[in-house]
Amino acid sequence: MSKLTATRLETPPGPVTRHPSKKPLLKRIAGGGFIAALPFLAPALAAYVVFVIGPMVTAVRLSLFEWSGFNADPQVFVGFKNYVRLFTADPVFWTAMQNTIVWVLLSLVIPTSLGLVMALALNRPIFGRNLFRSVFYIPGVLAPIAIANMWRWMYNPNYGVFSELAKAWHIGDGSGVTFLSDPKVAIYAIFAAFVWQIAGLNMVLFLAGLQSVSKELVESARLDGANSWKVFRHVTFPALRPTVVVVLVLTIVHSIKVFDLVVGMTGGGPAQSSQVLALWSYSQSFLQHDFGMGNAVATVLLAITLVLVIPYLIWSTKGNED
Amino acid sequence: MINPSAPTAVAAQDKIIKDFEAANPDITVKKTNRAVDAHKDALRTSIGTSAAPDIYDYWAGPGLGGELVKNGASADLTSYYTQYKWDSRFTDAALGPAKQYGGYNGVPWKLNGEAMFYNKALFQKAGITKLPTTIDELNDAAAKLKAAGITPIQFGGTVNWHVMRLLDTFLEGYCGSATFDKLVTNQANWGQEECVSKSFTNLQKWSKDYFNSGFIGINNDESSSLFYTGKAAMALEGDWFNANIKDNAKAEDFGVFPLPTGTGRMYGFEQAMYITKDSKKQDAAAKFLDFMMSTAVQKETVGTFSTQSVNKEVKAAATDELSKSWDGIFKNAKGLYMNNDQNLSQSQTTEYWRIQNLVATGGLDPANAGAEFQKFLDSSK
């Protein structure tokens, strides 16, 4: 019995080894039913090209032009001038870049860990489990702009909940609660709202992943004397690996394009200290009407996203062609 | 047109159109109302196309209306000014923005002034017996209020332009009108004018010592409640604020005085009705605007769109002390200095606000603020 259990622990479940097809691409296309599927794929493909690829190419093209957005105003080709300006003279770009990177890194740690912990806790048969699951999940379905408003009120230095708590605990008169007013703190104050919003979503994904963890394996490990931490480390977590990857990728995507919360809580302020790349791109194009610069920021954002997400896409589609 | 906030103003717009159409059955006027940002976007995408309107309502400052003039959106109305004698119909303050680009662009429609509202009881409590007439006297008043344990002035900083009003005022006061105009038109160097450093230094002093705490993280509606409830002594607002005070407090408890820059110019901005350059119905458009700004129509609508009319024949019906004070402010104004978000381009305005807020929150030495802004102006040329 113990020998059997030990063998199982030594070879934890992992991704099935896949052998990519050795057939030439054209033969694979002809033989794989691609041509037969084409009429069914064509409408979606056409929509994808028009509404996704087209705007992306246009954005990259516009990043090489100077244009105010007026039809009457000609688009002037300036080469890489917008990028040079962005990297060397834009007073906000590097702040936005730094905030975006910090946001992504913190997102990979805090809301994911919190989601996992909540999922592990609520995967047990405890009293009120379904209620807790719903309560933690609800922020994830609220509109981000509503969350932004809610947290802005909570942070209000005159009558927000934190200000009132400070008064109740005799920490000054509450006016010192200036989370959104402090350039050094504002981005983290917004991030707290993001954690509140996203942790429940991660929890749901982890809960789904936990359903695929083999109960027999867990049981075997326990019978073999493994404590809770060892069961988690050697059985549960390896089985959760595909879910973890999905959560991390989704978190990265959510983090990179964060926009609504920042707009709703600080508008990128004070003094652009909480600016992020997605909002800066929007501001340059639609508020400052500098479409060249706005699209240069968008192109940088696109490049960063592709660098982070393409490895996942390759990994997730590997072997599916067979 | 830009959406008016009050339903009565929408009704008044509709009545003007209806009356005009009744008098001119061969002309039909079709009106489209939009919110501020939607209006800016719509004009940006429609100007130069067949979707462009014949008349568009816009702010007259160089950063907004001026940009459209620069991009060939607006027709030069010199011949219509002669035909309809508009030059003698409008006040000097209202005409200035229409003439600033050479020729005549747009017909004055609404002129809003901004000034300092104050709480009479709090001023008295702080021992302020004379209303400030210079920036230094304003500084003294703020210091007295603070010494009396009163928050001297309220601001909400989330949308930037409220605090900007104070910075603009310091610039006008310390630099004088000629230098102010040179600065905002890129003819003077922000990094080399001592008055610029002085203005930013004063702004930092005010934000640190005289603003309500946490101002930059709250919006102006929230901070205005401090003023209505007597928790802050001053509010730098426009003539539209009369109505807000009446809605939220007792109007007789408050007064208003012109911003004490010493130049005599009033702080404010104008909205004008522009005729599109490509319009094929310019004559009909001009006829409608002539009707809209006529003495009869303006008499009927004064107080609906703004407290004062742009038509010099039309006097506002001042029914309370605040309105009477505004009459004096408009009457005594020797020209207009506009809000800098109207003077500067949108990207320059964004940077101006960034620097303003950095200084206000202690993140930038005021002595370097002018040079920092000039660096941006130079790099974006």
Side-chain angles (χ1 to χ4, degrees):
Chain A
M1 180 70 182
S2 65
K3 191 178 178 186
L4 175 67
T5 310
T7 307
R8 278 179 177 167
L9 282 175
E10 279 162 14
T11 55
V16 179
T17 313
R18 288 159 176 155
H19 301 286
S21 172
K22 298 276 194 300
K23 288 181 195 168
L25 181 66
L26 278 178
K27 273 192 176 177
R28 271 193 282 156
I29 290 173
F34 178 77
I35 291 170
L38 201 55
F40 301 98
L41 289 175
L45 190 66
Y48 186 77
V49 168
V50 171
F51 296 113
V52 179
I53 303 292
M56 273 163 69
V57 172
T58 306
V60 175
R61 191 190 74 83
L62 272 177
S63 73
L64 304 174
F65 286 78
E66 205 168 84
W67 187 45
S68 67
F70 279 106
N71 275 304
D73 187 26
Q75 296 177 4
V76 181
F77 180 75
V78 292
F80 290 100
K81 188 183 156 196
N82 289 327
Y83 290 95
V84 173
R85 220 177 108 200
L86 196 66
F87 294 131
T88 62
D90 187 321
V92 180
F93 174 73
W94 289 110
T95 306
M97 174 72 96
Q98 185 186 315
N99 284 340
T100 304
I101 291 171
V102 167
W103 191 287
V104 171
L105 293 178
L106 288 178
S107 299
L108 289 175
V109 180
I110 298 173
T112 45
S113 311
L114 212 57
L116 180 60
V117 169
M118 290 194 296
L120 289 170
L122 296 178
N123 197 38
R124 292 158 183 265
I126 58 168
F127 177 74
R129 181 169 77 162
N130 289 338
L131 176 71
F132 280 117
R133 283 180 180 180
S134 304
V135 166
F136 292 144
Y137 179 64
I138 282 171
V141 296
L142 292 178
I145 202 72
I147 294 174
N149 274 334
M150 232 168 68
W151 279 76
R152 198 157 51 81
W153 277 85
M154 283 161 65
Y155 285 140
N156 189 295
N158 296 314
Y159 37 77
V161 66
F162 295 109
S163 161
E164 293 302 316
L165 282 174
K167 278 182 216 166
W169 293 337
H170 304 291
I171 310 171
D173 60 357
S175 62
V177 181
T178 53
F179 299 140
L180 296 180
S181 318
D182 186 336
K184 289 184 183 127
V185 177
I187 188 74
Y188 302 103
I190 306 169
F191 184 76
F194 178 73
V195 172
W196 184 80
Q197 177 197 15
I198 211 83
L201 276 176
N202 291 343
M203 177 199 73
V204 169
L205 292 171
F206 281 125
L207 273 172
L210 284 170
Q211 308 316 308
S212 66
V213 178
S214 164
K215 286 190 174 105
E216 289 80 11
L217 274 182
V218 173
E219 196 54 37
S220 304
R222 287 221 170 101
L223 286 172
D224 218 29
N227 60 21
S228 295
W229 167 243
K230 280 189 175 163
V231 170
F232 173 74
R233 195 179 157 204
H234 295 291
V235 180
T236 311
F237 194 71
L240 269 182
R241 240 178 238 160
T243 311
V244 170
V245 173
V246 169
V247 169
L248 291 182
V249 169
L250 288 178
T251 302
I252 289 172
V253 173
H254 270 129
S255 307
I256 284 180
K257 63 180 190 184
V258 65
F259 178 90
D260 328 48
L261 283 178
V262 183
V263 170
M265 290 175 74
T266 61
Q272 307 289 2
S273 63
S274 62
Q275 193 57 262
V276 288
L277 286 178
L279 176 57
W280 189 231
S281 169
Y282 171 83
S283 304
Q284 292 266 9
S285 293
F286 295 100
L287 300 179
Q288 300 177 35
H289 307 301
D290 191 341
F291 282 77
M293 287 291 276
N295 283 291
V297 180
T299 304
V300 170
L301 197 56
L302 175 69
I304 295 171
T305 311
L306 290 180
V307 165
L308 293 172
V309 175
I310 279 181
Y312 163 72
L313 290 175
I314 292 171
W315 176 83
S316 64
T317 55
K318 220 178 215 176
N320 283 351
E321 285 165 13
D322 296 332
Chain B
M1 293 181 81
I2 299 153
N3 269 337
S5 54
T8 47
V10 180
Q13 285 177 349
D14 292 340
K15 186 172 183 303
I16 293 171
I17 291 169
K18 202 175 150 195
D19 291 351
F20 175 75
E21 286 178 336
N24 299 273
D26 54 328
I27 302 173
T28 305
V29 181
K30 189 181 163 199
K31 180 190 74 156
T32 305
N33 277 106
R34 294 193 194 93
V36 170
D37 286 334
H39 188 63
K40 287 178 185 171
D41 286 345
L43 284 181
R44 188 164 289 271
T45 48
S46 66
I47 291 292
T49 73
S50 58
D54 296 303
I55 300 170
Y56 63 90
D57 174 10
Y58 220 58
W59 299 270
L64 295 170
E67 199 192 9
L68 270 78
V69 171
K70 199 175 88 186
N71 280 287
S74 157
D76 181 356
L77 305 180
T78 303
S79 60
Y80 294 116
Y81 268 77
T82 309
Q83 182 184 340
Y84 291 111
K85 299 185 175 58
W86 284 341
D87 228 349
S88 56
R89 183 181 303 179
F90 299 109
T91 62
D92 287 346
L95 268 179
K99 295 198 288 187
Q100 64 186 319
Y101 309 112
Y104 288 86
N105 282 280
V107 180
W109 152 236
K110 260 173 62 177
L111 180 64
N112 287 115
E114 291 151 287
M116 194 68 88
F117 287 87
Y118 69 100
N119 181 312
K120 291 176 187 170
L122 295 181
F123 262 45
Q124 197 176 18
K125 187 180 166 192
I128 303 164
T129 50
K130 179 181 165 282
L131 293 175
T133 54
T134 65
I135 299 291
D136 288 338
E137 286 177 14
L138 186 67
N139 291 341
D140 291 343
K144 280 182 184 169
L145 286 160
K146 194 190 176 194
I150 300 161
T151 299
I153 192 164
Q154 62 84 11
F155 277 113
T158 51
V159 287
N160 307 300
W161 63 73
H162 298 94
V163 175
M164 177 197 72
R165 293 173 187 159
L166 189 67
L167 176 59
D168 293 353
T169 299
F170 292 156
L171 284 167
E172 170 83 357
Y174 285 138
C175 297
S177 46
T179 306
F180 180 94
D181 289 347
K182 280 184 186 168
L183 284 168
V184 298
T185 50
N186 234 338
Q187 293 170 52
N189 189 312
W190 288 73
Q192 289 171 359
E193 297 291 340
E194 202 183 318
C195 61
V196 173
S197 297
K198 203 172 167 185
S199 300
F200 277 107
T201 303
N202 209 31
L203 176 72
Q204 193 168 71
K205 165 88 178 152
W206 274 68
S207 61
K208 187 167 161 263
D209 292 344
Y210 304 147
F211 288 9
N212 45 297
S213 67
F215 71 96
I216 211 147
I218 60 174
N219 72 39
N220 212 60
D221 290 339
E222 291 169 40
S223 65
S224 293
S225 66
L226 298 174
F227 184 69
Y228 305 138
T229 55
K231 289 178 184 160
M234 290 186 280
L236 202 173
E237 287 286 356
D239 51 348
W240 59 84
F241 200 63
N242 281 7
N244 299 47
I245 290 180
K246 285 173 193 166
D247 286 345
N248 293 283
K250 286 182 189 166
E252 57 270 27
D253 293 343
F254 301 90
V256 60
F257 60 91
L259 293 167
T261 57
T263 65
R265 297 203 293 187
M266 183 180 74
Y267 186 48
F269 55 89
E270 179 160 290
Q271 263 173 256
M273 291 288 173
Y274 296 84
I275 296 180
T276 314
K277 197 175 186 180
D278 295 337
S279 168
K280 292 183 174 59
K281 298 161 192 156
Q282 290 189 0
D283 289 347
K287 197 170 186 183
F288 173 68
L289 294 182
D290 182 61
F291 176 80
M292 191 175 187
M293 313 314 168
S294 65
T295 304
V297 172
Q298 288 288 306
K299 269 185 180 163
E300 199 178 320
T301 58
V302 68
T304 307
F305 303 111
S306 56
T307 58
Q308 308 286 318
S309 173
V310 288
N311 184 320
K312 64 165 78 158
E313 298 301 320
V314 180
K315 303 295 172 214
T319 51
D320 55 59
E321 196 189 326
L322 282 174
S323 302
K324 280 177 194 159
S325 299
W326 275 110
D327 278 354
I329 291 170
F330 275 90
K331 200 173 151 191
N332 297 327
K334 294 174 187 153
L336 185 74
Y337 71 102
M338 276 186 285
N339 300 40
N340 272 344
D341 60 345
Q342 298 237 357
N343 287 321
L344 304 169
S345 73
Q346 306 247 16
S347 59
Q348 290 169 350
T349 299
T350 303
E351 179 63 358
Y352 183 66
W353 285 342
R354 186 184 75 88
I355 291 168
Q356 156 202 300
N357 290 339
L358 266 181
V359 169
T361 53
L364 179 67
D365 182 349
N368 298 329
E372 181 80 6
F373 187 51
Q374 188 62 43
K375 195 168 78 182
F376 179 83
L377 296 177
D378 293 341
S379 75
S380 60
K381 269 178 193 169

